[in-house]
Amino acid sequence: MQDEASDVKASKKMLRSDDVVKWTLDEDKRLVQAVAKYAQVDWNLVRAELSGRSPTSSKPAQALERRWNVLKDDLLALSGGKLRPSGLPRLTLNMSSFSATISKITESERWPKTPSEWALPVVAAAATAVALSIIVNPPSPEVKGYTRDPPMVPSWIPWIGSFWEIESDPDAFFRQAEKEYPGGIIAVRAAGKKFFFVTSSDLINQIYKKPTVYALSPVQMGWAKSVFSLSDQALYGSPMFSARLAPHMDRSMAPKNMMGLIKSFENHVRQEVQFRAVPSQPVSLQDFVIKLSYVATGAAYFGPTFNAMGTWDAFKGFDESVYKVALGYPASLLRTFVRCREEMIGKFVEYLDKPHDACELIRGQEEIIRDVPFDKRDMGCMMLCAWWPLMANVPWGTLWVLLHQLQRPEGVQPLLDELTAAGTAWSSAHPEFTGSYTLHLTEFLQSNPSLPLLSSVIAESLRFATDSYSMRAVVDGDAMLGPYMMRDGDMIVCSTRSVHMDEKEFERASEWIPTRFVAEDGSAKGTEGSFKWMPFGGGISMCSGRFFANYHVKIFLATLLTNFKFTVDTEKSQLPITVGPINRGFGLRRPKGDLFVK
């Protein structure tokens, strides 16, 4: 190599060329070396990172400029981890475009704001990726001692990566990716981050069995900051999360401790139904069900002084983008999300400043955060942290059951018949409870009545519509997972939906089958502990709210079915109803389409 000054000069001259040049493989390598030199990046470190080899230079990684980092990462994504044989045709690169890209990299730290700023770098980055895929030659998987990294799904847009593809049709994206890379783990770049999606039930359960290797807590802390905007002081200023708050939440949601909350919800939803006027015109089933649940659950959680409908619009605006921010999309680019989040936090601050009568779970959480102490804004954030996971998922389970069952020829009548038979038998066996079983739904369900069809349609709806990423971070060093080596700090995503939609795991997986979880003898098939049915995640971090969710959905369904007769307006309904992308990765996805009922 020449001395550094002359080398940089030669590199700049090469990059300023306006000609279209056909480079040989050696010249391709010189070109990328020139790029590295011009961006002040150690070529050995770049090459080592892209090839998976150990660096040949002892020089530490320099403070790479943000735009170069994004470009470099995306070039690797574009090559998909697959290196091409050296016999491919020579490349043709437009050097003026490429030079403009490098100039963009070094000019400033700001993100591009107009199409004229980002279009050219995108095109040039795509061309450069092809060059890198030819130049870099990692060791073959057959070489002794070599451990493969999971394959990367190719993408061509810097920073965005596969985000838009996934957003457009998540199921189609992962179905195609699993077909091309059937090893059980696939790497995906989206919104400036790299995720490793684990799509095999066996590998997912290996992760759940090793919580000290694949940890949830770093991920939770990241979400608390990026999504709910908790301050660093609240997150890291005390051991509250691990030492006090999480154990309190788990204790409060244990079956023996949550029955008061369940009974409160039953009473409030019955009250809402009794005083709610029956619509004279067809209404959206989604609006009817979700709003009714929102008000009743809000009263049960926060007490009758909580103005749930006063927060409805803000919650809806916040909820629609939570999953985007949690997966890396900058909140600053989602103005509605930020505005609605701040409004929700403000509403909870107002609520906490006034006398209120919350449930035991919320009272205990409030005592902890006041004891730490938190400032008012962080207290409002913590209330939002408790409220969003519940309302973003539980009522949607009820809605998905109704959406599917009402489209079937028999409608909801089989569910009502099963409830009536079991309720009548329970009332006869428990004369101490006066009146209909519908006035004692909590006690009725506590007796574990035989409701195989109701249990099956709920379990099937969760299988069909749940998309829980169940994310983990690799901690305490590298770790083998199946045939792959996962690196310390890697973000692991347990893609339970991939398992739920796998034809090898569930016959006719793409269909909603109401009796899927009914045994041949007519009894209910158990799902608890199943290594294939995982809507609540698994391992020691399995969702502690699963018991509450089960009671909530059954009580809500029983209340709706015994108080309303739903008739579908096929003309106004938005058909077909499919699983939309909203809330992907964080529980029950939202339906795309709706039924109108009267």
Side-chain angles (χ1 to χ4, degrees):
M1 295 285 290
Q2 303 172 4
D3 65 275
E4 184 170 326
S6 60
D7 199 24
V8 172
K9 184 177 181 180
S11 300
K12 290 183 177 181
K13 182 178 181 181
M14 180 187 294
L15 292 168
R16 284 197 300 267
S17 171
D18 292 329
D19 299 326
V20 175
V21 185
K22 291 187 177 181
W23 300 93
T24 65
L25 289 175
D26 286 341
E27 288 168 331
D28 286 334
K29 182 173 181 178
R30 285 175 51 214
L31 170 62
V32 180
Q33 287 175 327
V35 173
K37 195 63 103 167
Y38 191 68
Q40 297 181 340
V41 179
D42 186 337
W43 160 246
N44 285 317
L45 291 173
V46 174
R47 185 175 185 278
E49 180 170 340
L50 298 184
S51 68
R53 294 191 178 108
S54 298
T56 58
S57 171
S58 60
K59 187 177 180 181
Q62 300 178 29
L64 310 182
E65 298 194 52
R66 185 182 303 169
R67 290 295 309 284
W68 168 250
N69 231 345
V70 171
L71 177 61
K72 176 170 65 69
D73 285 349
D74 198 66
L75 296 180
L76 176 59
L78 278 165
S79 68
K82 295 180 176 179
L83 281 303
R84 303 172 186 270
S86 60
L88 288 181
R90 297 176 180 178
L91 294 175
T92 300
L93 296 174
N94 187 301
M95 297 313 299
S96 59
S97 296
F98 196 76
S99 179
T101 302
I102 302 304
S103 297
K104 288 284 186 184
I105 291 168
T106 56
E107 71 176 6
S108 72
E109 286 291 314
R110 71 183 180 88
W111 292 100
K113 294 181 174 58
T114 65
S116 64
E117 288 183 281
W118 59 255
L120 195 56
V122 165
V123 174
T128 313
V130 181
L132 281 179
S133 69
I134 295 177
I135 300 165
V136 186
N137 292 292
S140 167
E142 288 75 30
V143 175
K144 184 177 180 180
Y146 174 76
T147 305
R148 291 184 297 163
D149 290 329
M152 175 72 71
V153 178
S155 61
W156 66 277
I157 306 179
W159 191 81
I160 293 294
S162 298
F163 186 89
W164 288 338
E165 258 188 290
I166 299 174
E167 182 73 1
S168 175
D169 192 338
D171 290 344
F173 176 86
F174 285 106
R175 189 164 52 246
Q176 182 62 31
E178 291 170 57
K179 182 179 178 181
E180 294 182 10
Y181 310 103
I185 307 178
I186 52 176
V188 175
R189 290 190 185 276
K193 293 187 177 181
K194 181 164 69 173
F195 301 93
F196 293 91
F197 286 84
V198 183
T199 60
S200 158
S201 60
D202 290 339
L203 295 181
I204 288 174
N205 282 285
Q206 286 184 38
I207 292 171
Y208 288 153
K209 291 176 182 177
K210 298 178 180 179
T212 59
V213 177
Y214 307 101
L216 179 61
S217 54
V219 179
Q220 288 176 319
M221 289 295 197
W223 292 338
K225 184 174 179 65
S226 64
V227 176
F228 298 99
S229 71
L230 274 162
S231 70
D232 288 342
Q233 176 62 29
L235 288 170
Y236 308 110
S238 78
M240 179 208 63
F241 275 99
S242 58
R244 299 184 63 185
L245 188 60
H248 165 70
M249 299 289 284
D250 290 342
R251 283 194 303 270
S252 300
M253 282 298 182
K256 66 179 181 179
N257 297 329
M258 69 174 185
M259 300 320 299
L261 177 59
I262 293 296
K263 189 64 182 178
S264 177
F265 169 70
E266 178 195 341
N267 292 336
H268 282 294
V269 76
R270 183 187 304 117
Q271 179 180 327
E272 283 297 318
V273 165
Q274 289 173 349
F275 290 100
R276 184 165 295 230
V278 177
S280 58
Q281 299 294 323
V283 296
S284 159
L285 181 64
Q286 177 173 313
D287 280 354
F288 180 78
V289 169
I290 303 303
K291 285 182 179 179
L292 179 58
S293 175
Y294 193 84
V295 172
T297 310
Y301 246 54
F302 299 109
T305 62
F306 180 66
N307 180 13
M309 284 311 298
T311 68
W312 169 254
D313 289 336
F315 181 86
K316 189 176 178 182
F318 172 74
D319 171 63
E320 288 177 351
S321 293
V322 164
Y323 74 101
K324 293 182 180 180
V325 178
L327 293 175
Y329 202 85
S332 59
L333 300 181
L334 299 168
R335 294 182 179 179
T336 298
F337 169 84
V338 174
R339 175 178 56 79
C340 290
R341 179 179 66 191
E342 295 308 306
E343 184 177 339
M344 286 297 300
I345 293 170
K347 295 285 187 183
F348 279 120
V349 170
E350 292 176 11
Y351 163 79
L352 292 171
D353 280 344
K354 298 177 180 178
H356 50 275
D357 183 20
C359 69
E360 183 179 346
L361 183 151
I362 297 300
R363 281 201 309 272
Q365 178 173 312
E366 184 179 349
E367 289 174 6
I368 293 171
I369 60 181
R370 286 188 185 277
D371 186 47
V372 169
F374 277 16
D375 63 25
K376 284 191 174 183
R377 188 182 186 283
D378 281 328
M379 290 177 67
C381 291
M382 286 304 303
M383 292 295 109
L384 182 57
C385 287
W387 183 231
W388 177 80
L390 173 69
M391 294 314 300
N393 288 289
V394 177
W396 296 90
T398 298
L399 177 64
W400 274 112
V401 170
L402 293 174
L403 286 173
H404 284 293
Q405 200 66 44
L406 284 170
Q407 292 184 80
R408 296 180 65 82
E410 68 274 18
V412 296
Q413 193 61 44
L415 298 177
L416 183 58
D417 291 345
E418 184 180 75
L419 275 168
T420 302
T424 302
W426 180 84
S427 295
S428 298
H430 296 84
E432 67 274 22
F433 293 98
T434 59
S436 170
Y437 79 98
T438 58
L439 300 176
H440 314 284
L441 287 173
T442 300
E443 295 80 6
F444 166 61
L445 292 172
Q446 275 187 287
S447 71
N448 196 27
S450 177
L451 299 168
L453 182 58
L454 182 66
S455 298
S456 179
V457 295
I458 293 173
E460 176 67 345
S461 294
L462 294 180
R463 181 199 69 83
F464 187 83
T466 297
D467 190 1
S468 176
Y469 280 176
S470 194
M471 299 174 73
R472 303 289 189 273
V474 180
V475 295
D476 199 26
D478 299 348
M480 285 294 299
L481 184 59
Y484 303 115
M485 175 65 78
M486 308 311 300
R487 312 296 178 180
D488 187 55
D490 280 348
M491 191 68 69
I492 306 292
V493 179
C494 298
S495 182
T496 57
R497 182 167 179 79
S498 296
V499 178
H500 291 170
M501 294 289 107
D502 189 343
E503 295 285 344
K504 298 190 293 295
E505 305 286 8
F506 293 95
E507 186 178 356
R508 293 158 60 194
S510 61
E511 299 179 37
W512 187 87
I513 302 175
T515 57
R516 185 184 296 277
F517 295 96
V518 176
E520 291 183 3
D521 63 0
S523 63
K525 289 182 182 177
T527 55
E528 190 72 22
S530 169
F531 293 146
K532 300 178 182 178
W533 186 82
M534 299 179 284
F536 300 105
I540 63 173
S541 60
M542 182 181 289
C543 177
S544 60
R546 63 190 183 279
F547 303 111
F548 176 79
N550 183 52
Y551 274 98
H552 189 291
V553 173
K554 287 181 176 177
I555 287 173
F556 195 20
L557 276 171
T559 302
L560 293 173
L561 294 176
T562 55
N563 283 277
F564 298 103
K565 183 177 181 180
F566 296 101
T567 302
V568 177
D569 186 326
T570 54
E571 291 187 2
K572 292 199 69 174
S573 294
Q574 302 162 0
L575 300 172
I577 295 172
T578 58
V579 180
I582 294 179
N583 207 41
R584 63 179 175 85
F586 292 87
L588 281 160
R589 297 238 300 259
R590 308 294 186 254
K592 190 175 181 179
D594 195 6
L595 289 182
F596 275 71
V597 295
K598 52 187 178 181

